[in-house]
Amino acid sequence: MIVLLNKIVKTIALKPKSIFLTDGFGALLTAVFLIAALSSSGLHFGMPSEILTPLLITASIFAVYSFSCFLFLKNKFQPFLKLIISANLIYSILTLGFVAFYFDKLTVLGIFYFFGEILVLYGLVYIEFKILESIKTRNN
């Protein structure tokens, strides 16, 4: 798994700005799944809507932020990348806390979705962190 992530890092490191595009699409995909989970005929995760709604709003904000960084930043990506790394970590930790708290109410689909999302987020954070290191190395 780490070997695959390192290959991805090497590819993205050639155009580090593209990590924001990757992050934006990931956040957008999360928002789509959460919209489906909130709709009456959507996915049934078992997570209360009072939790899904703030997660949806947060994922939407992350998508706008990441797409904006991709579109408008010309250089000096480091502070913006640090912010999204921190935000993704906080989001995943909060999600893990919600999963633990509501575990008895989650469906099998909900358990797989949320744990899958958390794993993907940690993989993304790993890639983003490695890209950040590569930018620092290049600038020194």
Side-chain angles (χ1 to χ4, degrees):
M1 179 69 154
I2 296 294
V3 173
L4 174 63
L5 291 175
N6 286 332
K7 284 183 182 183
I8 293 170
V9 167
K10 286 181 184 177
T11 303
I12 295 175
L14 299 173
K15 295 182 181 178
K17 184 176 165 180
S18 65
I19 192 65
F20 292 110
L21 188 60
T22 304
D23 194 279
F25 278 120
L28 185 61
L29 186 60
T30 294
V32 167
F33 277 117
L34 293 175
I35 288 170
L38 281 164
S39 72
S40 59
S41 62
L43 303 171
H44 298 287
F45 291 159
M47 187 71 75
S49 61
E50 303 82 43
I51 302 300
L52 292 176
T53 301
L55 290 176
L56 167 61
I57 292 167
T58 303
S60 300
I61 291 168
F62 287 6
V64 169
Y65 174 83
S66 293
F67 286 137
S68 296
C69 287
F70 177 76
L71 291 172
F72 301 115
L73 290 178
K74 301 295 180 216
N75 51 29
K76 300 190 185 204
F77 309 121
Q78 289 172 306
F80 300 94
L81 190 51
K82 285 178 184 178
L83 180 61
I84 200 64
I85 289 170
S86 300
N88 283 336
L89 280 173
I90 292 167
Y91 182 90
S92 62
I93 291 167
L94 284 173
T95 301
L96 185 59
F98 291 137
V99 167
F101 190 79
Y102 292 104
F103 190 81
D104 59 327
K105 294 181 178 163
L106 296 180
T107 63
V108 172
L109 178 61
I111 292 167
F112 277 110
Y113 171 76
F114 287 112
F115 279 121
E117 181 177 51
I118 290 165
L119 287 174
V120 168
L121 268 170
Y122 284 133
L124 180 62
V125 165
Y126 175 83
I127 292 168
E128 290 170 339
F129 185 75
K130 290 295 186 179
I131 297 297
L132 186 62
E133 285 181 338
S134 118
I135 292 169
K136 286 180 183 176
T137 302
R138 219 179 286 160
N139 290 342
N140 289 335

mmCIF file of all heavy atoms in Angstrom, residues 33-70:
data_model
loop_
_atom_site.group_PDB
_atom_site.id
_atom_site.type_symbol
_atom_site.label_atom_id
_atom_site.label_comp_id
_atom_site.label_asym_id
_atom_site.label_seq_id
_atom_site.Cartn_x
_atom_site.Cartn_y
_atom_site.Cartn_z
ATOM 1 N N PHE A 33 -22.131 11.472 -1.614
ATOM 2 C CA PHE A 33 -22.567 10.332 -0.809
ATOM 3 C C PHE A 33 -23.394 10.777 0.396
ATOM 4 O O PHE A 33 -24.384 10.129 0.753
ATOM 5 C CB PHE A 33 -21.367 9.503 -0.338
ATOM 6 C CG PHE A 33 -20.870 8.523 -1.360
ATOM 7 C CD1 PHE A 33 -19.595 8.632 -1.874
ATOM 8 C CD2 PHE A 33 -21.678 7.485 -1.807
ATOM 9 C CE1 PHE A 33 -19.128 7.729 -2.822
ATOM 10 C CE2 PHE A 33 -21.225 6.579 -2.754
ATOM 11 C CZ PHE A 33 -19.944 6.696 -3.258
ATOM 12 N N LEU A 34 -22.995 11.867 1.012
ATOM 13 C CA LEU A 34 -23.740 12.345 2.179
ATOM 14 C C LEU A 34 -25.109 12.897 1.782
ATOM 15 O O LEU A 34 -26.084 12.723 2.513
ATOM 16 C CB LEU A 34 -22.916 13.384 2.939
ATOM 17 C CG LEU A 34 -21.656 12.821 3.611
ATOM 18 C CD1 LEU A 34 -20.834 13.946 4.227
ATOM 19 C CD2 LEU A 34 -22.001 11.770 4.649
ATOM 20 N N ILE A 35 -25.200 13.523 0.616
ATOM 21 C CA ILE A 35 -26.511 13.967 0.111
ATOM 22 C C ILE A 35 -27.406 12.755 -0.113
ATOM 23 O O ILE A 35 -28.581 12.756 0.262
ATOM 24 C CB ILE A 35 -26.354 14.801 -1.182
ATOM 25 C CG1 ILE A 35 -25.762 16.167 -0.858
ATOM 26 C CG2 ILE A 35 -27.699 14.950 -1.899
ATOM 27 C CD1 ILE A 35 -25.337 16.970 -2.086
ATOM 28 N N ALA A 36 -26.839 11.716 -0.727
ATOM 29 C CA ALA A 36 -27.612 10.489 -0.959
ATOM 30 C C ALA A 36 -28.061 9.868 0.361
ATOM 31 O O ALA A 36 -29.187 9.380 0.478
ATOM 32 C CB ALA A 36 -26.783 9.491 -1.762
ATOM 33 N N ALA A 37 -27.189 9.900 1.351
ATOM 34 C CA ALA A 37 -27.532 9.332 2.665
ATOM 35 C C ALA A 37 -28.630 10.151 3.348
ATOM 36 O O ALA A 37 -29.454 9.594 4.080
ATOM 37 C CB ALA A 37 -26.294 9.268 3.554
ATOM 38 N N LEU A 38 -28.651 11.446 3.096
ATOM 39 C CA LEU A 38 -29.661 12.312 3.717
ATOM 40 C C LEU A 38 -31.007 12.252 3.001
ATOM 41 O O LEU A 38 -32.039 12.560 3.608
ATOM 42 C CB LEU A 38 -29.164 13.759 3.750
ATOM 43 C CG LEU A 38 -28.180 14.073 4.858
ATOM 44 C CD1 LEU A 38 -27.460 15.392 4.592
ATOM 45 C CD2 LEU A 38 -28.875 14.109 6.209
ATOM 46 N N SER A 39 -30.991 11.884 1.727
ATOM 47 C CA SER A 39 -32.255 11.843 0.986
ATOM 48 C C SER A 39 -33.082 10.647 1.449
ATOM 49 O O SER A 39 -32.560 9.637 1.900
ATOM 50 C CB SER A 39 -31.994 11.768 -0.520
ATOM 51 O OG SER A 39 -31.503 10.498 -0.867
ATOM 52 N N SER A 40 -34.365 10.759 1.327
ATOM 53 C CA SER A 40 -35.254 9.696 1.829
ATOM 54 C C SER A 40 -35.067 8.389 1.065
ATOM 55 O O SER A 40 -35.270 7.315 1.621
ATOM 56 C CB SER A 40 -36.710 10.151 1.765
ATOM 57 O OG SER A 40 -37.046 10.463 0.422
ATOM 58 N N SER A 41 -34.691 8.472 -0.201
ATOM 59 C CA SER A 41 -34.514 7.244 -0.983
ATOM 60 C C SER A 41 -33.031 6.918 -1.179
ATOM 61 O O SER A 41 -32.681 6.089 -2.000
ATOM 62 C CB SER A 41 -35.181 7.397 -2.349
ATOM 63 O OG SER A 41 -34.559 8.453 -3.061
ATOM 64 N N GLY A 42 -32.188 7.571 -0.389
ATOM 65 C CA GLY A 42 -30.749 7.410 -0.560
ATOM 66 C C GLY A 42 -30.163 6.256 0.214
ATOM 67 O O GLY A 42 -30.859 5.328 0.639
ATOM 68 N N LEU A 43 -28.890 6.322 0.403
ATOM 69 C CA LEU A 43 -28.165 5.305 1.147
ATOM 70 C C LEU A 43 -28.601 5.325 2.608
ATOM 71 O O LEU A 43 -28.940 6.371 3.145
ATOM 72 C CB LEU A 43 -26.657 5.585 1.060
ATOM 73 C CG LEU A 43 -26.053 5.662 -0.326
ATOM 74 C CD1 LEU A 43 -24.622 6.169 -0.253
ATOM 75 C CD2 LEU A 43 -26.093 4.309 -1.004
ATOM 76 N N HIS A 44 -28.571 4.177 3.219
ATOM 77 C CA HIS A 44 -28.947 4.107 4.633
ATOM 78 C C HIS A 44 -27.717 3.741 5.451
ATOM 79 O O HIS A 44 -27.330 2.588 5.526
ATOM 80 C CB HIS A 44 -30.075 3.098 4.832
ATOM 81 C CG HIS A 44 -31.314 3.486 4.106
ATOM 82 N ND1 HIS A 44 -32.117 4.532 4.526
ATOM 83 C CD2 HIS A 44 -31.876 3.024 2.971
ATOM 84 C CE1 HIS A 44 -33.118 4.673 3.693
ATOM 85 N NE2 HIS A 44 -32.997 3.776 2.734
ATOM 86 N N PHE A 45 -27.107 4.774 6.036
ATOM 87 C CA PHE A 45 -25.892 4.582 6.820
ATOM 88 C C PHE A 45 -26.194 4.362 8.296
ATOM 89 O O PHE A 45 -25.386 3.816 9.020
ATOM 90 C CB PHE A 45 -24.965 5.792 6.702
ATOM 91 C CG PHE A 45 -24.343 5.981 5.346
ATOM 92 C CD1 PHE A 45 -23.863 7.221 4.973
ATOM 93 C CD2 PHE A 45 -24.211 4.943 4.449
ATOM 94 C CE1 PHE A 45 -23.260 7.423 3.740
ATOM 95 C CE2 PHE A 45 -23.613 5.121 3.213
ATOM 96 C CZ PHE A 45 -23.142 6.366 2.858
ATOM 97 N N GLY A 46 -27.338 4.850 8.751
ATOM 98 C CA GLY A 46 -27.680 4.738 10.157
ATOM 99 C C GLY A 46 -27.186 5.903 10.999
ATOM 100 O O GLY A 46 -27.503 5.993 12.182
ATOM 101 N N MET A 47 -26.416 6.785 10.400
ATOM 102 C CA MET A 47 -25.911 7.965 11.117
ATOM 103 C C MET A 47 -27.034 9.003 11.142
ATOM 104 O O MET A 47 -27.672 9.257 10.118
ATOM 105 C CB MET A 47 -24.684 8.533 10.401
ATOM 106 C CG MET A 47 -23.980 9.648 11.120
ATOM 107 S SD MET A 47 -23.073 9.160 12.601
ATOM 108 C CE MET A 47 -21.629 8.374 11.930
ATOM 109 N N PRO A 48 -27.294 9.617 12.295
ATOM 110 C CA PRO A 48 -28.365 10.622 12.373
ATOM 111 C C PRO A 48 -28.119 11.796 11.422
ATOM 112 O O PRO A 48 -26.976 12.196 11.190
ATOM 113 C CB PRO A 48 -28.306 11.098 13.831
ATOM 114 C CG PRO A 48 -27.550 10.063 14.568
ATOM 115 C CD PRO A 48 -26.631 9.412 13.587
ATOM 116 N N SER A 49 -29.205 12.357 10.915
ATOM 117 C CA SER A 49 -29.094 13.491 9.991
ATOM 118 C C SER A 49 -28.466 14.707 10.664
ATOM 119 O O SER A 49 -27.826 15.526 9.994
ATOM 120 C CB SER A 49 -30.454 13.850 9.391
ATOM 121 O OG SER A 49 -31.349 14.226 10.406
ATOM 122 N N GLU A 50 -28.599 14.817 11.996
ATOM 123 C CA GLU A 50 -27.976 15.932 12.709
ATOM 124 C C GLU A 50 -26.451 15.864 12.637
ATOM 125 O O GLU A 50 -25.766 16.856 12.870
ATOM 126 C CB GLU A 50 -28.381 15.947 14.195
ATOM 127 C CG GLU A 50 -29.845 16.020 14.480
ATOM 128 C CD GLU A 50 -30.533 14.656 14.394
ATOM 129 O OE1 GLU A 50 -29.999 13.643 14.887
ATOM 130 O OE2 GLU A 50 -31.627 14.608 13.817
ATOM 131 N N ILE A 51 -25.926 14.696 12.337
ATOM 132 C CA ILE A 51 -24.487 14.515 12.170
ATOM 133 C C ILE A 51 -24.124 14.597 10.694
ATOM 134 O O ILE A 51 -23.125 15.223 10.319
ATOM 135 C CB ILE A 51 -24.027 13.156 12.760
ATOM 136 C CG1 ILE A 51 -24.380 13.058 14.243
ATOM 137 C CG2 ILE A 51 -22.541 12.926 12.509
ATOM 138 C CD1 ILE A 51 -23.770 14.120 15.120
ATOM 139 N N LEU A 52 -24.935 13.966 9.841
ATOM 140 C CA LEU A 52 -24.640 13.954 8.403
ATOM 141 C C LEU A 52 -24.653 15.358 7.799
ATOM 142 O O LEU A 52 -23.828 15.670 6.929
ATOM 143 C CB LEU A 52 -25.632 13.063 7.659
ATOM 144 C CG LEU A 52 -25.543 11.563 7.927
ATOM 145 C CD1 LEU A 52 -26.646 10.829 7.183
ATOM 146 C CD2 LEU A 52 -24.174 11.026 7.552
ATOM 147 N N THR A 53 -25.572 16.198 8.249
ATOM 148 C CA THR A 53 -25.677 17.541 7.680
ATOM 149 C C THR A 53 -24.412 18.372 7.903
ATOM 150 O O THR A 53 -23.870 18.936 6.942
ATOM 151 C CB THR A 53 -26.929 18.262 8.222
ATOM 152 O OG1 THR A 53 -28.087 17.491 7.876
ATOM 153 C CG2 THR A 53 -27.054 19.658 7.652
ATOM 154 N N PRO A 54 -23.881 18.463 9.132
ATOM 155 C CA PRO A 54 -22.620 19.206 9.299
ATOM 156 C C PRO A 54 -21.448 18.568 8.538
ATOM 157 O O PRO A 54 -20.581 19.282 8.037
ATOM 158 C CB PRO A 54 -22.367 19.169 10.805
ATOM 159 C CG PRO A 54 -23.669 18.857 11.431
ATOM 160 C CD PRO A 54 -24.443 18.078 10.432
ATOM 161 N N LEU A 55 -21.429 17.228 8.452
ATOM 162 C CA LEU A 55 -20.374 16.576 7.663
ATOM 163 C C LEU A 55 -20.497 16.969 6.199
ATOM 164 O O LEU A 55 -19.491 17.240 5.526
ATOM 165 C CB LEU A 55 -20.441 15.052 7.821
ATOM 166 C CG LEU A 55 -20.045 14.485 9.184
ATOM 167 C CD1 LEU A 55 -20.251 12.966 9.205
ATOM 168 C CD2 LEU A 55 -18.607 14.830 9.534
ATOM 169 N N LEU A 56 -21.724 17.028 5.685
ATOM 170 C CA LEU A 56 -21.965 17.444 4.304
ATOM 171 C C LEU A 56 -21.522 18.885 4.072
ATOM 172 O O LEU A 56 -20.842 19.185 3.086
ATOM 173 C CB LEU A 56 -23.454 17.291 3.967
ATOM 174 C CG LEU A 56 -23.939 17.961 2.682
ATOM 175 C CD1 LEU A 56 -23.229 17.394 1.466
ATOM 176 C CD2 LEU A 56 -25.440 17.823 2.545
ATOM 177 N N ILE A 57 -21.884 19.771 4.970
ATOM 178 C CA ILE A 57 -21.494 21.178 4.835
ATOM 179 C C ILE A 57 -19.974 21.309 4.863
ATOM 180 O O ILE A 57 -19.379 22.021 4.044
ATOM 181 C CB ILE A 57 -22.163 22.034 5.942
ATOM 182 C CG1 ILE A 57 -23.674 22.088 5.708
ATOM 183 C CG2 ILE A 57 -21.557 23.441 5.989
ATOM 184 C CD1 ILE A 57 -24.458 22.635 6.889
ATOM 185 N N THR A 58 -19.344 20.588 5.767
ATOM 186 C CA THR A 58 -17.883 20.640 5.879
ATOM 187 C C THR A 58 -17.217 20.111 4.610
ATOM 188 O O THR A 58 -16.288 20.737 4.086
ATOM 189 C CB THR A 58 -17.416 19.833 7.111
ATOM 190 O OG1 THR A 58 -18.061 20.360 8.263
ATOM 191 C CG2 THR A 58 -15.917 19.906 7.283
ATOM 192 N N ALA A 59 -17.688 18.965 4.107
ATOM 193 C CA ALA A 59 -17.118 18.408 2.874
ATOM 194 C C ALA A 59 -17.301 19.377 1.707
ATOM 195 O O ALA A 59 -16.394 19.533 0.879
ATOM 196 C CB ALA A 59 -17.766 17.058 2.554
ATOM 197 N N SER A 60 -18.424 20.054 1.656
ATOM 198 C CA SER A 60 -18.681 21.030 0.583
ATOM 199 C C SER A 60 -17.720 22.213 0.680
ATOM 200 O O SER A 60 -17.197 22.691 -0.337
ATOM 201 C CB SER A 60 -20.129 21.523 0.649
ATOM 202 O OG SER A 60 -21.021 20.440 0.495
ATOM 203 N N ILE A 61 -17.486 22.676 1.888
ATOM 204 C CA ILE A 61 -16.531 23.777 2.099
ATOM 205 C C ILE A 61 -15.129 23.339 1.680
ATOM 206 O O ILE A 61 -14.403 24.085 1.011
ATOM 207 C CB ILE A 61 -16.560 24.258 3.563
ATOM 208 C CG1 ILE A 61 -17.888 24.965 3.859
ATOM 209 C CG2 ILE A 61 -15.368 25.169 3.874
ATOM 210 C CD1 ILE A 61 -18.143 25.229 5.338
ATOM 211 N N PHE A 62 -14.746 22.113 2.055
ATOM 212 C CA PHE A 62 -13.429 21.592 1.665
ATOM 213 C C PHE A 62 -13.305 21.530 0.143
ATOM 214 O O PHE A 62 -12.251 21.835 -0.413
ATOM 215 C CB PHE A 62 -13.192 20.194 2.246
ATOM 216 C CG PHE A 62 -12.936 20.153 3.726
ATOM 217 C CD1 PHE A 62 -13.024 21.281 4.535
ATOM 218 C CD2 PHE A 62 -12.619 18.953 4.334
ATOM 219 C CE1 PHE A 62 -12.787 21.221 5.898
ATOM 220 C CE2 PHE A 62 -12.384 18.877 5.695
ATOM 221 C CZ PHE A 62 -12.462 20.007 6.481
ATOM 222 N N ALA A 63 -14.381 21.118 -0.535
ATOM 223 C CA ALA A 63 -14.349 21.031 -1.996
ATOM 224 C C ALA A 63 -14.139 22.411 -2.610
ATOM 225 O O ALA A 63 -13.289 22.584 -3.500
ATOM 226 C CB ALA A 63 -15.638 20.390 -2.520
ATOM 227 N N VAL A 64 -14.897 23.386 -2.143
ATOM 228 C CA VAL A 64 -14.759 24.760 -2.664
ATOM 229 C C VAL A 64 -13.338 25.275 -2.402
ATOM 230 O O VAL A 64 -12.707 25.865 -3.287
ATOM 231 C CB VAL A 64 -15.824 25.696 -2.042
ATOM 232 C CG1 VAL A 64 -15.528 27.156 -2.358
ATOM 233 C CG2 VAL A 64 -17.213 25.310 -2.527
ATOM 234 N N TYR A 65 -12.833 25.046 -1.199
ATOM 235 C CA TYR A 65 -11.485 25.497 -0.845
ATOM 236 C C TYR A 65 -10.439 24.864 -1.769
ATOM 237 O O TYR A 65 -9.599 25.560 -2.337
ATOM 238 C CB TYR A 65 -11.188 25.139 0.614
ATOM 239 C CG TYR A 65 -9.765 25.440 1.030
ATOM 240 C CD1 TYR A 65 -9.403 26.720 1.423
ATOM 241 C CD2 TYR A 65 -8.783 24.451 1.002
ATOM 242 C CE1 TYR A 65 -8.090 27.007 1.791
ATOM 243 C CE2 TYR A 65 -7.474 24.732 1.369
ATOM 244 C CZ TYR A 65 -7.133 26.004 1.760
ATOM 245 O OH TYR A 65 -5.841 26.288 2.118
ATOM 246 N N SER A 66 -10.503 23.558 -1.911
ATOM 247 C CA SER A 66 -9.490 22.856 -2.703
ATOM 248 C C SER A 66 -9.566 23.235 -4.181
ATOM 249 O O SER A 66 -8.535 23.456 -4.822
ATOM 250 C CB SER A 66 -9.636 21.340 -2.531
ATOM 251 O OG SER A 66 -9.313 20.981 -1.208
ATOM 252 N N PHE A 67 -10.778 23.301 -4.723
ATOM 253 C CA PHE A 67 -10.913 23.710 -6.128
ATOM 254 C C PHE A 67 -10.431 25.149 -6.319
ATOM 255 O O PHE A 67 -9.796 25.472 -7.323
ATOM 256 C CB PHE A 67 -12.358 23.564 -6.615
ATOM 257 C CG PHE A 67 -12.782 22.145 -6.863
ATOM 258 C CD1 PHE A 67 -14.021 21.701 -6.441
ATOM 259 C CD2 PHE A 67 -11.958 21.243 -7.524
ATOM 260 C CE1 PHE A 67 -14.431 20.396 -6.663
ATOM 261 C CE2 PHE A 67 -12.348 19.937 -7.754
ATOM 262 C CZ PHE A 67 -13.596 19.509 -7.321
ATOM 263 N N SER A 68 -10.703 26.023 -5.348
ATOM 264 C CA SER A 68 -10.233 27.413 -5.427
ATOM 265 C C SER A 68 -8.710 27.476 -5.406
ATOM 266 O O SER A 68 -8.105 28.234 -6.170
ATOM 267 C CB SER A 68 -10.803 28.238 -4.277
ATOM 268 O OG SER A 68 -12.198 28.317 -4.359
ATOM 269 N N CYS A 69 -8.100 26.673 -4.538
ATOM 270 C CA CYS A 69 -6.633 26.631 -4.496
ATOM 271 C C CYS A 69 -6.085 26.168 -5.836
ATOM 272 O O CYS A 69 -5.119 26.735 -6.361
ATOM 273 C CB CYS A 69 -6.147 25.695 -3.388
ATOM 274 S SG CYS A 69 -6.372 26.361 -1.726
ATOM 275 N N PHE A 70 -6.697 25.144 -6.408
ATOM 276 C CA PHE A 70 -6.241 24.633 -7.702
ATOM 277 C C PHE A 70 -6.366 25.696 -8.788
ATOM 278 O O PHE A 70 -5.462 25.875 -9.606
ATOM 279 C CB PHE A 70 -7.024 23.379 -8.097
ATOM 280 C CG PHE A 70 -6.633 22.855 -9.453
ATOM 281 C CD1 PHE A 70 -5.442 22.169 -9.618
ATOM 282 C CD2 PHE A 70 -7.446 23.075 -10.551
ATOM 283 C CE1 PHE A 70 -5.057 21.700 -10.879
ATOM 284 C CE2 PHE A 70 -7.082 22.610 -11.811
ATOM 285 C CZ PHE A 70 -5.883 21.922 -11.964
#
